[in-house]
Amino acid sequence: MPDMAIQVRDLHKSYRQLKVLQGVEFAVEQGRIFALLGPNGAGKTTLIKILSTLLKPDSGTALVNGFDVIAQAARVRHSISLTGQFAAVDELLTGRENLIMIAQLRHLKQPRRVADELLERFGLTEAANRRVSAYSGGMRRRLDLAMSLVGTPPIIFLDEPTTGLDPEGRLEVWKVVKELAQGGRTIFLTTQYLDEAEQLADRIAILHQGRIIASGTLQELKKLFPPARVEYVEKQPTLEEIFLAIIGQKEVC
Amino acid sequence: MATLQRYFFSDLGVMLGRSLRHIFRSMDTIITATITPIGLMLLFVYVFGGAIQSGTANYVNYVLPGIFLVAIASGTSYTSLRLFTDVQRGIMDRFRSMPIAPSTLLWGHVLASLVFNGISLLIIVLVALLMGFRSAAGILPWLAIVGLLALVTLTLTWVAVIPGLTARSIDGAAVFAYPLIFLPFISSAFVPTRSMPPVVRAFAEHQPVTAIVNTIRALLAGEPVSQEIWIALAWCLGILLLAFFFARMAYKKRTA
């Protein structure tokens, strides 16, 4: 069996009466992009919070980079970075200051150099000394992702990385995520967009009503569904066709 | 973990530096925090002051300790707001998922609050000097005043941490300060308690503000302090410990 970046067994979590996770099980191999797909309220964020040590499960086990998320939380935190649903950047600091701060908190030797490299890589060098409050949505997200890369953690969690972005911003994030995956990093992302999972992920799991109801590669998932059928559907003319037809008749006259 | 402890002070330095940048980049918050107390001081000295029998020749000297407490109460509400924003924007979650000593996330804000309120109190003293405030106190009494005010600030800031972590809206995070700002009015801060009806007087004389105000007033005047300094310290330390305990609980509850 290849090395597993994430292993989850029989995970349960309830908020009072509400059962959010009811026996979630899955594993993610090292170096993969794993997409957790599910509608709003399916428990995606709860799961990501448990895996990133922000929340304790009621029962079950979760190993991240081989460490238990409860018993070895500090070691898990050394192995991961988390990018939440909303760009978690400091508005009053500049882009550079944000990155330097994270580099210092990760106890890196040369925080300034690390910051400058990432600014360059994410196309933020020009905006580096501007306060983040003046950044556009796409720039914030890029800075957010850059902050996740400080200290090169082997496992990266991205919670709905493209929610709230315009189409251009989405494409930008997709490009970055694909780059991140190079170099053996494991990426665990959640999304509610099917095309996003299709575009990015090697492996997809579908979370529904607190359980993983399907998981595998895109090809494997496609096999689960009935094969494509041929159907005959009466096609109504479009306004364009009507218009062209009328014009054509007139010309004939 | 040993590594976390090794980096405690370095992490704390980073978090404190961040909070201080917030303060110095939003000087308007310091101005807002000083406007209410300065306005009150003007109101009491130039409008009500003539009618109040405080028993002292210099009424600015009389009201200043109470004004200090109003300023600290409104100043610490910014700690609630800043913490609330951290939680709301998700930056708190980012920090919590990193290998940082967790207590530094709160201590950074708390220590920055001491700096913030120190600046705001300094501005108020300068305005009071222009209004005729004079003190006979030497270096040691002034150090005692600074120490006591720092303790009060520390206490109220830890109180402010609780709504900052638990509030559901930005308004909810700030309202805790209103009763605290109001408390000095039912104390010896602006009028002597002997003029109050018995029930109000009993409350006024046994709430923390009166003990703190009387102690600072005596120190400012260069007079010997009474037993009340111990009552003031006991109130502060008691509330500080309680607030610290509940703030930690509120922080831990986020991971439950």
Side-chain angles (χ1 to χ4, degrees):
Chain A
M1 203 168 85
D3 283 344
M4 288 297 171
I6 303 170
Q7 272 175 294
V8 173
R9 266 190 227 111
D10 200 25
L11 213 57
H12 288 259
K13 177 75 186 174
S14 306
Y15 296 105
R16 296 210 175 94
Q17 297 300 312
L18 187 70
K19 290 177 178 167
V20 183
L21 302 180
Q22 310 183 54
V24 170
E25 300 217 347
F26 65 90
V28 181
E29 284 171 33
Q30 248 170 35
R32 302 277 186 179
I33 304 184
F34 183 92
L36 185 68
L37 195 61
N40 271 337
K44 301 190 298 286
T45 299
T46 302
L47 186 54
I48 231 171
K49 281 193 166 173
I50 290 173
L51 294 177
S52 55
T53 74
L54 297 182
L55 208 59
K56 290 198 174 91
D58 296 338
S59 65
T61 56
L63 301 182
V64 173
N65 207 20
F67 303 116
D68 187 280
V69 290
I70 304 169
Q72 298 165 297
R75 280 168 179 260
V76 171
R77 288 182 195 137
H78 272 286
S79 320
I80 63 163
S81 77
L82 168 69
T83 300
Q85 247 176 65
F86 308 101
V89 292
D90 192 319
E91 302 255 322
L92 283 170
L93 302 185
T94 67
R96 173 176 282 124
E97 285 168 342
N98 265 292
L99 286 165
I100 291 176
M101 171 175 74
I102 299 295
Q104 286 171 336
L105 290 174
R106 288 213 181 261
H107 314 123
L108 302 184
K109 291 253 152 45
Q110 294 173 298
R112 269 155 220 288
R113 228 186 71 189
V114 172
D116 286 336
E117 279 168 12
L118 283 165
L119 287 164
E120 171 86 47
R121 190 168 153 198
F122 283 82
L124 290 167
T125 306
E126 233 173 89
N129 294 322
R130 254 185 276 152
R131 286 195 202 169
V132 173
S133 51
Y135 280 23
S136 71
M139 285 162 81
R140 263 167 223 240
R141 223 357 156 186
R142 281 201 309 244
L143 177 63
D144 198 28
L145 289 169
M147 283 161 81
S148 280
L149 280 188
V150 173
T152 57
I155 299 170
I156 295 179
F157 290 102
L158 304 172
D159 194 6
E160 304 202 4
T162 61
T163 298
L165 287 186
D166 56 19
E168 208 184 341
R170 269 184 95 195
L171 290 177
E172 225 172 74
V173 169
W174 285 1
K175 205 180 111 209
V176 172
V177 171
K178 282 176 187 163
E179 279 175 19
L180 293 188
Q182 290 158 8
R185 257 189 221 110
T186 309
I187 295 179
F188 180 101
L189 65 93
T190 68
T191 182
Q192 44 178 323
Y193 304 116
L194 306 167
D195 57 335
E196 188 158 296
E198 206 171 332
Q199 274 285 327
L200 292 177
D202 314 314
R203 296 240 152 205
I204 299 164
I206 299 172
L207 184 66
H208 184 64
Q209 295 182 337
R211 284 195 185 84
I212 302 283
I213 52 168
S215 78
T217 61
L218 184 61
Q219 298 309 319
E220 286 167 353
L221 287 182
K222 277 182 176 164
K223 278 184 206 154
L224 290 177
F225 295 95
R229 285 183 302 174
V230 180
E231 278 183 11
Y232 295 98
V233 180
E234 187 185 278
K235 197 160 173 284
Q236 297 286 339
T238 64
L239 183 59
E240 190 185 11
E241 283 162 346
I242 295 169
F243 176 78
L244 288 174
I246 296 172
I247 300 289
Q249 271 171 12
K250 275 202 174 155
E251 275 169 9
V252 172
C253 298
Chain B
M1 271 183 77
T3 52
L4 285 187
Q5 269 156 22
R6 185 150 57 93
Y7 287 114
F8 178 86
F9 288 103
S10 127
D11 290 347
L12 182 61
V14 177
M15 298 315 282
L16 176 61
R18 165 178 184 257
S19 290
L20 288 178
R21 278 204 171 111
H22 284 186
I23 287 168
F24 292 118
R25 285 182 189 177
S26 51
M27 289 307 272
D28 54 318
T29 56
I30 290 192
I31 293 165
T32 319
T34 53
I35 268 182
T36 312
I38 288 173
L40 279 174
M41 186 157 66
L42 292 168
L43 191 70
F44 270 91
V45 170
Y46 295 123
V47 181
F48 305 144
I52 294 171
Q53 306 279 317
S54 66
T56 42
N58 187 333
Y59 188 61
V60 186
N61 284 9
Y62 188 84
V63 292
L64 193 58
I67 296 296
F68 284 158
L69 296 192
V70 172
I72 294 171
S74 68
T76 50
S77 67
Y78 283 98
T79 301
S80 303
L81 294 180
R82 293 196 163 104
L83 255 176
F84 179 78
T85 318
D86 275 7
V87 172
Q88 205 65 9
R89 292 263 165 80
I91 198 144
M92 182 69 106
D93 277 350
R94 183 190 281 281
F95 289 144
R96 282 177 53 221
S97 70
M98 290 174 63
I100 312 171
S103 55
T104 60
L105 299 189
L106 298 181
W107 273 109
H109 280 284
V110 171
L111 295 182
S113 164
L114 287 174
V115 175
F116 178 92
N117 284 289
I119 297 170
S120 107
L121 291 179
L122 199 66
I123 294 171
I124 287 167
V125 169
L126 292 177
V127 174
L129 281 171
L130 291 177
M131 290 170 67
F133 159 67
R134 295 294 176 268
S135 169
I139 301 260
L140 277 179
W142 267 110
L143 282 179
I145 292 165
V146 169
L148 186 54
L149 287 175
L151 180 63
V152 171
T153 308
L154 194 65
T155 303
L156 290 186
T157 304
W158 274 108
V159 174
V161 166
I162 301 168
L165 287 173
T166 54
R168 288 174 196 280
S169 69
I170 192 107
D171 302 319
V175 288
F176 92 98
Y178 295 138
L180 292 181
I181 291 172
F182 195 65
L183 218 47
F185 292 93
I186 318 169
S187 79
S188 66
F190 299 108
V191 293
T193 51
R194 60 176 182 277
S195 64
M196 300 173 185
V199 179
V200 183
R201 182 175 175 179
F203 174 79
E205 287 178 352
H206 294 96
Q207 63 126 322
V209 172
T210 296
I212 297 166
V213 161
N214 288 351
T215 303
I216 295 176
R217 197 175 276 152
L219 286 167
L220 280 176
E223 291 165 6
V225 290
S226 67
Q227 295 295 324
E228 274 182 302
I229 191 168
W230 303 114
I231 300 172
L233 289 176
W235 270 114
C236 286
L237 288 173
I239 298 170
L240 176 64
L241 286 176
L242 265 180
F244 186 71
F245 173 76
F246 280 110
R248 280 183 65 101
M249 257 193 15
Y251 181 81
K252 284 204 172 135
K253 211 179 160 200
R254 302 202 67 84
T255 56

